């Protein structure tokens, strides 16, 4: 029992520093979401339930409008798939990392948002730390940050009057920092450069609203073709 507690504590302490940038971004956006729920006529219990069970960023904001509109489950399903289709690619990328983690995999799959994926995929987990519990606590902490921010925004949103325009850029800035950190750790920048170039081409070809899914499909295809050439580099990095 003592060994189990020690393992959990070590994994939690290792995961927590990685989630601090997410904490800042999630609290801003979570509070904004809570305020939006409040002014849309939903009480704190709705906000709590939705932030706990959906936990999918943009779709939570969209869900508010769908709840206020006519009942249309087909439209809701299509909208959720369209907005969060990128998670399909995240899941494929995490197949190897989630092997051997036991029942924790169920929560890791449910709670895999953009930010948790970025940390769990790129973080160098210390050898003495259990990888499965590390990823679990990264996911759990990020989930807690979002839920508490949303609940606080819902509770006190009606008492606060400020302009929240531009707060969504917090997450963009955070991803830039994560990308730069990964760039500095890489010995070979082929994957990163390809990702940037493919995204730029798809942005020009499909526009800002529709480029994400085509760019991810193109990245998946091209990186799969180049896998044999990239694997030696990844092995050198892990050593």
């Amino acid at each position: 029992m003592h060994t189990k507690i020690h393992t959990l504590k070590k994994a939690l302490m290792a995961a927590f520093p990685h989630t601090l940038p997410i904490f800042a971004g999630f609290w801003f956006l979570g509070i904004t979401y809570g305020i939006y729920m409040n002014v849309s006529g939903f009480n704190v219990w709705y906000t709590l339930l939705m932030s706990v069970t959906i936990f999918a960023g943009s779709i939570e904001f969209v869900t508010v409008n769908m709840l206020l509109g006519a009942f249309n489950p087909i439209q809701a399903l299509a909208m959720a798939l369209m907005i969060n289709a990128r998670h399909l690619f995240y899941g494929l990328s995490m197949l190897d990392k989630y092997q051997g983690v036991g029942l924790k995999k169920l929560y890791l799959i449910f709670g895999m948002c953009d930010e948790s994926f970025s940390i769990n995929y790129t973080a160098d987990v210390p050898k003495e730390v259990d990888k499965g519990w590390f990823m679990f606590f990264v996911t759990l902490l990020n989930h807690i940050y979002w839920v508490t921010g949303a609940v606080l925004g819902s509770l006190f949103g009606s008492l606060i009057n400020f302009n929240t325009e531009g707060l969504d850029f917090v997450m963009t800035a955070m991803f830039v920092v994560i990308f730069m950190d990964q760039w500095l750790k890489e010995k070979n920048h082929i994957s990163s450069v390809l990702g940037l170039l493919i995204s730029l081409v798809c942005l020009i070809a499909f526009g800002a609203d529709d480029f994400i899914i085509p760019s991810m499909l193109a990245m998946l295809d091209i990186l799969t073709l180049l896998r044999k050439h990239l694997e030696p580099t990844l092995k050198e990095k892990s050593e």
Side-chain angles (χ1 to χ4, degrees):
M1 183 65 179
H2 177 73
T3 304
K4 182 70 171 180
I5 294 174
H6 180 69
T7 299
L8 295 177
K9 182 178 179 181
K10 186 176 288 187
L12 175 60
M13 296 305 293
F16 177 66
H18 290 274
T19 66
L20 284 176
I22 315 297
F23 169 72
F26 268 21
W27 256 42
F28 271 118
L29 287 180
I31 289 173
T32 304
Y33 169 67
I35 293 172
Y36 182 45
M37 285 286 287
N38 180 274
V39 300
S40 298
F42 296 98
N43 63 36
V44 66
W45 298 111
Y46 272 100
T47 306
L48 176 62
L49 179 64
M50 288 175 61
S51 59
V52 168
T53 57
I54 300 177
F55 190 46
S58 302
I59 192 63
E60 291 193 44
F61 287 88
V62 176
T63 302
V64 178
N65 289 326
M66 288 193 287
L67 287 174
L68 295 173
F71 179 70
N72 192 336
I74 302 301
Q75 181 188 32
L77 175 62
M79 187 71 69
L81 288 174
M82 182 177 65
I83 293 176
N84 291 314
R86 65 190 185 280
H87 289 193
L88 295 172
F89 303 97
Y90 295 168
L92 291 173
S93 301
M94 297 301 287
L95 285 175
D96 292 335
K97 289 184 176 290
Y98 282 176
Q99 286 184 354
V101 300
L103 292 176
K104 294 186 289 293
K105 181 189 293 187
L106 298 176
Y107 179 69
L108 290 172
I109 293 171
F110 163 75
M112 188 175 63
C113 60
D114 299 348
E115 296 74 20
S116 296
F117 165 77
S118 298
I119 296 174
N120 287 333
Y121 189 78
T122 62
D124 294 324
V125 183
K127 293 182 179 180
E128 68 275 10
V129 174
D130 184 279
K131 182 185 72 172
W133 283 114
F134 174 88
M135 294 190 294
F136 176 86
F137 282 120
V138 165
T139 306
L140 178 63
L141 287 169
N142 289 340
H143 198 176
I144 290 172
Y145 300 153
W146 176 260
V147 172
T148 54
V151 170
L152 285 174
S154 181
L155 285 173
F156 302 108
S158 59
L159 305 176
I160 303 173
N161 185 18
F162 66 98
N163 187 2
T164 60
E165 184 178 355
L167 284 180
D168 55 344
F169 185 73
V170 170
M171 305 312 294
T172 303
M174 185 199 66
F175 276 115
V176 171
V177 172
I178 291 175
F179 174 81
M180 293 305 298
D181 179 67
Q182 185 66 14
W183 177 278
L184 293 173
K185 290 179 181 177
E186 290 174 342
K187 292 182 180 179
N188 188 309
H189 302 304
I190 294 176
S191 298
S192 298
V193 171
L194 280 174
L196 290 174
L197 290 176
I198 292 169
S199 299
L200 180 61
V201 170
C202 290
L203 177 63
I204 295 171
F206 298 98
D209 294 330
D210 302 310
F211 83 100
I212 293 179
I213 293 177
S215 63
M216 285 189 170
L217 286 170
M219 286 180 207
L220 180 63
D221 291 340
I222 292 174
L223 292 177
T224 299
L225 291 173
L226 298 176
R227 183 176 179 180
K228 292 182 179 179
H229 301 284
L230 295 175
E231 276 184 343
T233 302
L234 295 174
K235 290 179 180 177
E236 289 176 7
K237 181 183 173 184
S238 62
E239 293 171 356

